[in-house]
Amino acid sequence: MGTSTEESGTSTEAAGGPRALPAARGGSGERPAGARAARPGRPDSLSPSRAGDFMTCPLLYRFRVIDRLPERPSAAATRGTLVHAVLERLFDDPAPERTLARARSMVAGQWERLLADRPELAELFTEGTPGGDGGAAGGTGDGSGAADGAGSGAAEGTESGAAGDAGSGAAGGAVAAERLSAWLAEAERLVERWFTLEDPTRLEPAERELYVETVLDSGLTLRGFIDRVDVAPTGAVRIVDYKTGRAPHPDYASGALFQMKFYALVLWRLRGEVPSRLQLVYLGSGDVLTYDPTEADLRSVERKVLALWEAIRRATETGDWRPRRSKLCGWCDHQAFCPEFGGTPPAYPLLARPAESPEGDQGRMGQV
């Protein structure tokens, strides 16, 4: 892997202009409405995220894909969504206007858009809220304490209770505002770091937030969203993915590379050309990792994906979804249903048949 961002053959500088990229299915870039059903169902396609879930913990895959258990939003994941939105929409502006000041000014506005779509995200910054940026015990920060205190004070014929609880509610609101301000400032810092890694005035992406989908000869549907696709004047295609975390140690980079190779496989099957470069931009640490895939790489990924899908198919038919404890368990919302933590999974919502023989280690796949 290299660490260069603007290397010959894959950069799409505004001066030369990008070549048009043939449309992919769903190529509008919008996430399809109703793409995820509200009730349990059998898996019918595979994305890099869900493939990663199964390789991490087959039971987690079941909870997310079949049971569709709700999960709390997290401040870190939401910040990632916000930063992605800023970096995507910055390219709506003419190249000379894609400045750091312009990008920073977009953070608050994109947060308001996100909040309008998902009002529950405001709870990330109130005290005592799981998944927030600090959740110490105390008031809720939503003003309920003031209302309850006023009623209590009136019933007792005093004003002290109302005044005290109103003050507590105001303090909670101030804490929430402070947390939100710090959270937005961190999002701005991530955007600033991007400008040290890439120059948006010299880039003209062919696609942004591109939805891609293809059906393999086996009948398996692969799908996903690509952050950015660049096409150089030479026709070389570069797939770019933004990460708001830190770059992994090289010994643990295979997971992120699998995601990128997955995208490359889909584009190859859609358009018949192997992408020239895969690029991971880590805003948390300021690293850029690149990989130049070959056709042999992508055939290997396809074999791995098909083997993974076969394991998912067997687990779906038998209902045998095994948990796998790892350091990631500490961030899992489903410990109450996990046998590794003394929990019991919900009743399996699909018809299942007994396994004919014990299966191997679910989800454990070799590196590609």
Side-chain angles (χ1 to χ4, degrees):
M1 288 184 210
T3 57
S4 173
T5 58
E6 299 294 334
E7 300 184 35
S8 61
T10 55
S11 65
T12 56
E13 298 182 7
R19 287 177 45 174
L21 192 67
R25 292 175 60 185
S28 66
E30 295 295 324
R31 294 182 185 271
R36 187 172 185 182
R39 58 190 178 83
R42 291 183 178 274
D44 59 3
S45 63
L46 193 62
S47 69
S49 296
R50 299 293 77 81
D53 287 344
F54 189 83
M55 289 187 286
T56 297
C57 174
L59 186 59
L60 174 63
Y61 177 96
R62 178 201 146 171
F63 287 159
R64 285 180 167 170
V65 176
I66 295 179
D67 297 293
R68 301 185 187 274
L69 298 182
E71 297 183 353
R72 299 184 302 267
S74 75
T78 304
R79 182 164 46 224
T81 301
L82 172 60
V83 171
H84 276 71
V86 171
L87 300 189
E88 176 192 356
R89 291 183 171 87
L90 181 66
F91 287 102
D92 290 340
D93 293 342
E97 298 177 16
R98 297 171 197 158
T99 63
L100 174 56
R102 170 59 178 156
R104 291 185 61 183
S105 73
M106 294 173 65
V107 171
Q110 291 303 317
W111 165 241
E112 291 301 324
R113 287 186 57 173
L114 187 59
L115 193 60
D117 186 53
R118 299 181 59 194
E120 71 275 10
L121 294 178
E123 299 177 4
L124 287 170
F125 309 102
T126 59
E127 291 185 289
T129 301
D133 269 4
T140 63
D142 59 4
S144 60
D148 292 344
S152 174
E156 295 175 5
T158 68
E159 298 180 356
S160 59
D165 285 352
S168 176
V175 169
E178 183 178 347
R179 288 177 177 167
L180 173 59
S181 178
W183 183 84
L184 290 172
E186 176 58 25
E188 288 188 13
R189 283 191 289 271
L190 293 172
V191 170
E192 290 172 7
R193 185 167 289 141
W194 178 61
F195 276 77
T196 70
L197 304 173
E198 296 191 290
D199 181 358
T201 67
R202 300 177 64 236
L203 295 168
E204 290 295 345
E207 303 283 356
R208 290 170 280 151
E209 191 65 8
L210 175 68
Y211 176 72
V212 291
E213 179 182 307
T214 193
V215 180
L216 301 181
D217 293 340
S218 66
L220 171 61
T221 297
L222 303 183
R223 58 179 177 80
F225 284 88
I226 301 175
D227 288 344
R228 197 179 89 214
V229 179
D230 299 334
V231 182
T234 61
V237 174
R238 176 172 64 186
I239 299 175
V240 180
D241 192 73
Y242 307 120
K243 301 292 186 185
T244 50
R246 301 180 63 83
H249 186 278
D251 292 344
Y252 300 98
S254 59
L257 271 181
F258 171 75
Q259 174 192 3
M260 300 300 285
K261 291 178 182 179
F262 188 109
Y263 291 144
L265 170 63
V266 174
L267 280 186
W268 177 44
R269 289 307 188 192
L270 278 172
R271 294 161 180 163
E273 183 177 352
V274 175
S276 299
R277 173 147 299 174
L278 312 178
Q279 180 166 300
L280 285 155
V281 182
Y282 285 94
L283 304 176
S285 57
D287 293 302
V288 176
L289 306 182
T290 63
Y291 184 84
D292 297 342
T294 65
E295 184 173 316
D297 284 333
L298 301 190
R299 291 190 184 279
S300 176
V301 171
E302 185 169 8
R303 289 192 296 269
K304 176 174 180 174
V305 166
L306 291 174
L308 191 63
W309 185 250
E310 177 60 21
I312 291 172
R313 186 194 63 78
R314 288 197 303 266
T316 302
E317 290 183 355
T318 64
D320 181 17
W321 299 94
R322 305 177 190 178
R324 180 177 302 122
R325 185 185 284 267
S326 74
K327 62 181 181 181
L328 299 179
C329 291
W331 285 272
C332 183
D333 279 342
H334 309 304
Q335 291 184 11
F337 299 105
C338 180
E340 290 290 319
F341 294 88
T344 301
Y348 193 52
L350 305 177
L351 293 176
R353 63 171 177 77
E356 296 178 359
S357 61
E359 302 292 352
D361 288 341
Q362 287 190 344
R364 292 195 185 277
M365 309 294 293
Q367 292 187 1
V368 291

